[in-house]
């Protein structure tokens, strides 16, 4: 099994792709850059976009995981929904299944959250709703990591000191939720066009 991950530091932090490889037994490749948005993955004029477009057109993948810039789904929704739609179409055309890696709100009480003028519950809810809508509209798997962060952040050390990036435990949780989404899909034998409703937010920790 081969998995391609498209995202930024919320994907590559703590070598999370290797954690996913260990959980799934798959070869996991990531095309990432700090701060990257999904729109960049579509743009062949950029180094990252050229790499991704070549990989989607010329290589075999079983699953492609999409992760938008941290607040992108709510601060730039038009770009987010458009990018997800275009990438999901490309992914399905190549015979792979798209997976949306829904990330988390900034840490409660953090300076980053205060700077955006959002409440913790508000950002958590808005991100989850945006990713769920995008998954539903594009018949994609949903790994709602952000929801698990919301449920566990008060009892587990999931946030790095900057209140944005994950600790190793946070990355491990993300890998577990993504792996669960993929394994559930495999076990149920769904085709790449039968993904609607295959949302997974739970993972054993």
């Amino acid at each position: 099994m081969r998995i391609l991950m498209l995202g930024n530091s919320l994907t590559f932090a703590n070598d999370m792709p290797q954690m996913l490889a260990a959980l799934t037994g798959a070869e996991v490749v990531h095309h990432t850059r700090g701060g990257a948005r999904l729109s960049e993955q579509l743009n062949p004029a950029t180094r990252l976009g050229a790499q991704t477009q070549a990989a989607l057109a010329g290589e075999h993948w079983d699953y492609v995981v999409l992760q938008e810039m941290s607040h992108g789904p709510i601060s730039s929704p038009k770009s987010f929904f458009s990018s997800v739609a275009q990438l999901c179409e490309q992914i399905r055309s190549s015979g792979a299944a798209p997976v949306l890696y829904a990330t988390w709100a900034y840490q409660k009480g953090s300076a980053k959250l205060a700077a955006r003028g959002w409440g913790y519950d508000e950002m958590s809810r808005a991100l989850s709703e945006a990713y769920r809508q995008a998954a539903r509209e594009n018949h994609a798997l949903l790994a709602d990591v952000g929801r698990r962060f919301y449920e566990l952040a008060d009892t587990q050390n999931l946030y790095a000191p900057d209140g944005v990036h994950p600790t190793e435990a946070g990355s491990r949780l993300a890998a577990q939720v993504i792996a669960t989404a993929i394994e559930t899909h495999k076990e149920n034998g769904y085709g790449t066009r039968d993904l609607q409703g295959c949302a997974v937010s739970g993972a054993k920790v």
Side-chain angles (χ1 to χ4, degrees):
M1 183 166 66
R2 300 188 78 219
I3 300 171
L4 176 61
M5 305 189 79
L6 307 180
N8 53 43
S9 57
L10 299 186
T11 290
F12 69 68
N14 305 304
D15 202 11
M16 190 267 278
Q18 185 55 41
M19 296 178 182
L20 182 61
L23 288 168
T24 60
E27 175 191 357
V28 180
V29 176
H30 64 96
H31 292 178
T32 53
R33 181 187 65 76
R37 295 175 182 262
L38 289 177
S39 57
E40 188 176 341
Q41 306 281 358
L42 286 159
N43 185 357
T46 67
R47 183 176 180 179
L48 186 63
Q51 182 185 34
T52 293
Q53 290 302 303
L56 289 176
E59 297 184 52
H60 166 75
W61 306 99
D62 296 286
Y63 295 90
V64 181
V65 181
L66 306 179
Q67 178 251 311
E68 181 58 286
M69 191 270 286
S70 61
H71 58 75
I74 49 181
S75 62
S76 303
K78 184 175 180 180
S79 174
F80 168 66
F81 285 108
S82 174
S83 297
V84 170
Q86 292 178 69
L87 284 165
C88 283
E89 184 175 354
Q90 290 181 340
I91 292 162
R92 283 194 300 270
S93 294
S94 71
V99 184
L100 296 189
Y101 163 20
T103 56
W104 46 86
Y106 297 150
Q107 188 173 28
K108 187 184 299 183
S110 67
K112 190 84 171 182
L113 187 62
R116 299 297 305 187
W118 294 328
Y120 179 68
D121 289 355
E122 175 190 8
M123 186 176 181
S124 296
R125 182 173 58 253
L127 281 173
S128 185
E129 288 175 354
Y131 273 106
R132 284 180 176 274
Q133 179 182 339
R136 184 172 60 250
E137 291 178 351
N138 294 284
H139 304 279
L141 290 165
L142 175 65
D144 198 345
V145 179
R147 182 175 176 183
R148 291 298 283 159
F149 262 64
Y150 183 81
E151 293 168 348
L152 298 171
D154 289 339
T155 59
Q156 298 194 22
N157 180 28
L158 302 177
Y159 287 94
D162 66 1
V164 176
H165 289 88
T167 58
E168 185 174 343
S171 291
R172 188 177 303 112
L173 175 61
Q176 289 171 335
V177 176
I178 296 168
T180 299
I182 289 172
E183 294 300 331
T184 299
H185 175 255
K186 285 174 58 185
E187 289 170 6
N188 287 310
Y190 294 126
T192 58
R193 295 188 178 278
D194 301 319
L195 303 178
Q196 190 168 6
C198 301
V200 176
S201 61
K204 293 180 181 179
V205 293

